[in-house]
Amino acid sequence: MVILYIGASFLFLVYAGLILFLHGKWRAVPIYKNDQAPAADIRFSIVIPARNEETRIGFVLDALRKQDLDTSLWEVIVVDDDSTDHTTQVVGQYDQVKLIRLTGKDQNSYKKRALTEGIAQSRYEWILTTDADCVPGPHWLSTLSRFISDRNPQMVVAPVRMAHDFSLLQIFQALDFMTLQGITAGAVHGRFMHMCNGANLAYKKSAFQTVQGFSGIDHIASGDDMLLMQKIQLAFPGSAHYLLANEAVVATQPAYSWTEFIQQRIRWASKATYYQQASLFLVLLAVYLFNLAIPVLCFVSIFHLSALWMACALLGLKILIEFPFVASVARFYQDSALMKYFPILQPLHILYTLIAGWLGQFGHYSWKGRRVK
C-alpha cells in the first residue's frame, strides 16, 4: 500500500507540474490585434470536406458569403465524400463554390483523400481548411490575411469554439474542448508540441507539396491535421504560428449523442502512437496514468478503506490545479458560465479519458457512417 500511495503521489506531482506549465504557456500567448488592411498578395483556397452534411453545410457557406475580405482574394472548394444525402444539391445552390465529387473506395483515410483532391484543384498558395459543420465570423479571412502578412509562417493554427446548449452532454464537450484549445495555443506558441485542429487550419500549398502531402500517413483514418503539422514542422522547424484572436474563432458543432461523442474521441485518440514528438507522447501518457490512478485507488479501497481517501484527495487536487487554467481559457472564449459545472463533471471526465484512450489504440470506431480501423 505504501508503494501504491507513493506512486499515486508521484503521478500527481508530475500532473500538477504539467498543468501549471501548460497554464503558463497559455497565458504567454498574445492576443493578436491589427487594424491594418489585409494583404493584397495573400489569397486563400478554402477546402471543406463534406459527407452527409445537407443540414449543416449551408451555414458555413452562408458565413463565407459575409466575409469582409474581397472575394477576389479567396475561393471555396467543397469536396463531397460520396454523400448519400442531398449535400451536393445544397452546395449546388451557391454560386462560385467549386464542388468536387468523390465516390467511395475501399480505403481507411477518406478525409485525407478529400483534402488531397481539393488541394490539387485549388488555385491559391494558402490552403485554409474547415469542416462542413463549422461557422466562422465575418472577419475570419481578413484577420488571417493580416496575421500571415505580419508573421510569414508556413502554417497557422487558429482557435475553435464548440457551440453548445446547456445539456449535460454539450456542457461536458465544451469544457473538454476548451481545455484542448488552451493546450493547443500554448503548445504551438511555445513550440514544444505539435497540436492543431483541422476545423481552423491554414498552410502553404508549397509546404504541403514539399512534405508530399499525406504520404506516409494516408493509411491512418485520423490525423489530417496534427500528423500533417508534424510533417510540416519537421520540414520547416518553428514555422507554425498560433493566431489567438476572437475575430479568428471558428465555431464547430458538438456531438449530439454520447455514442457519437465517444466515437469522435476514440478517433482522435487513435493517432497517438503515430506522434514522433516525444514531448507530446509523454504528456498524453502522464495524463492517462494520473487519471487511471484514481479509479485504481477506488478499487483498492474495497480491501483498504484508506485508499478511498487517497482517491478523493487526488480528485480534489486535480480540480484545484486544473480550474484556473480552464477558467482562463473560458474567459477568452466568453464561456465562463460553464465553469460552475467543471468540478462536478470531473469523475465523468476521468472515465471518458480512460475509455477513449484505451479504445483509441485497441478498438474500432464509426465515422460518417463508415466502420474504421
Side-chain angles (χ1 to χ4, degrees):
M1 286 299 296
V2 173
I3 294 175
L4 179 62
Y5 292 164
I6 292 174
S9 300
F10 175 75
L11 285 173
F12 169 71
L13 291 175
V14 172
Y15 186 77
L18 173 63
I19 296 300
L20 291 172
F21 173 78
L22 293 173
H23 188 184
K25 291 297 183 181
W26 156 256
R27 291 176 61 87
V29 183
I31 294 179
Y32 180 74
K33 294 183 179 180
N34 190 334
D35 296 328
Q36 301 298 316
D41 60 338
I42 295 173
R43 292 176 170 83
F44 298 99
S45 291
I46 306 166
V47 182
I48 307 173
R51 174 173 165 82
N52 295 340
E53 295 285 1
E54 64 177 2
T55 62
R56 299 192 281 195
I57 188 71
F59 293 106
V60 64
L61 298 178
D62 287 339
L64 290 173
R65 281 179 168 179
K66 299 174 183 177
Q67 294 298 304
D68 62 359
L69 186 67
D70 192 282
T71 54
S72 66
L73 299 177
W74 51 280
E75 65 173 343
V76 182
I77 302 171
V78 174
V79 187
D80 179 73
D81 183 13
D82 199 23
S83 291
T84 57
D85 64 359
H86 296 96
T87 297
T88 57
Q89 291 91 321
V90 174
V91 175
Q93 298 172 11
Y94 290 81
D95 297 333
Q96 300 180 337
V97 174
K98 184 173 186 176
L99 175 63
I100 301 172
R101 298 184 181 185
L102 304 180
T103 55
K105 288 187 177 181
D106 185 18
Q107 63 176 41
N108 208 45
S109 185
Y110 298 96
K111 187 176 180 182
K112 293 192 186 78
R113 176 185 171 222
L115 287 168
T116 300
E117 291 292 335
I119 292 170
Q121 298 191 40
S122 63
R123 291 187 291 164
Y124 301 134
E125 169 66 354
W126 274 96
I127 304 301
L128 179 54
T129 68
T130 191
D131 294 330
D133 63 348
C134 291
V135 178
H139 309 300
W140 183 46
L141 294 179
S142 59
T143 304
L144 275 162
S145 177
R146 292 193 295 266
F147 185 79
I148 290 168
S149 180
D150 284 349
R151 306 296 172 84
N152 191 31
Q154 295 289 329
M155 173 178 276
V156 177
V157 182
V160 184
R161 176 186 180 271
M162 183 163 284
H164 61 85
D165 57 21
F166 281 91
S167 66
L168 174 64
L169 172 60
Q170 295 195 23
I171 290 171
F172 181 78
Q173 288 181 82
L175 285 168
D176 178 60
F177 196 78
M178 278 194 299
T179 305
L180 291 174
Q181 285 293 298
I183 295 170
T184 298
V188 177
H189 180 73
R191 298 181 179 177
F192 64 92
M193 286 195 302
H194 304 152
M195 294 186 67
C196 59
N197 190 298
N200 200 358
L201 183 65
Y203 43 86
K204 285 185 175 180
K205 187 197 296 188
S206 57
F208 182 82
Q209 293 168 338
T210 296
V211 303
Q212 299 182 331
F214 299 112
S215 175
I217 56 173
D218 50 2
H219 62 290
I220 309 164
S222 189
D224 56 277
D225 42 21
M226 288 176 64
L227 294 181
L228 177 63
M229 181 184 187
Q230 179 174 265
K231 293 184 70 176
I232 291 176
Q233 282 287 76
L234 289 174
F236 305 94
S239 64
H241 293 245
Y242 193 87
L243 168 56
L244 187 65
N246 291 114
E247 295 83 1
V249 172
V250 164
T252 189
Q253 295 300 308
Y256 291 100
S257 70
W258 285 101
T259 299
E260 182 186 353
F261 167 66
I262 291 296
Q263 292 292 311
Q264 180 192 67
R265 294 308 200 263
I266 292 173
R267 173 166 58 88
W268 292 1
S270 67
K271 57 196 174 190
T273 55
Y274 297 95
Y275 299 140
Q276 297 179 22
Q277 197 175 29
S279 59
L280 182 52
F281 178 79
L282 290 174
V283 166
L284 294 174
L285 181 63
V287 170
Y288 193 86
L289 290 177
F290 175 70
N291 280 278
L292 179 62
I294 295 175
V296 166
L297 285 166
C298 289
F299 175 76
V300 172
S301 70
I302 297 173
F303 311 99
H304 300 276
L305 185 59
S306 61
L308 181 60
W309 296 109
M310 184 70 171
C312 291
L314 288 181
L315 179 61
L317 290 170
K318 179 180 188 293
I319 294 169
L320 288 175
I321 202 72
E322 290 181 1
F323 192 94
F325 173 38
V326 182
S328 178
V329 181
R331 283 194 293 274
F332 169 77
Y333 285 100
Q334 300 176 358
D335 255 337
S336 295
L338 295 184
M339 290 308 299
K340 61 178 174 285
Y341 302 102
F342 181 80
I344 61 176
L345 290 176
Q346 284 300 298
L348 184 60
H349 186 267
I350 292 171
L351 181 63
Y352 128 77
T353 299
L354 298 177
I355 292 174
W358 178 263
L359 293 180
Q361 303 309 312
F362 303 105
H364 295 75
Y365 58 88
S366 297
W367 187 18
K368 301 289 184 179
R370 292 162 168 156
R371 189 73 169 169
V372 180
K373 296 179 182 179

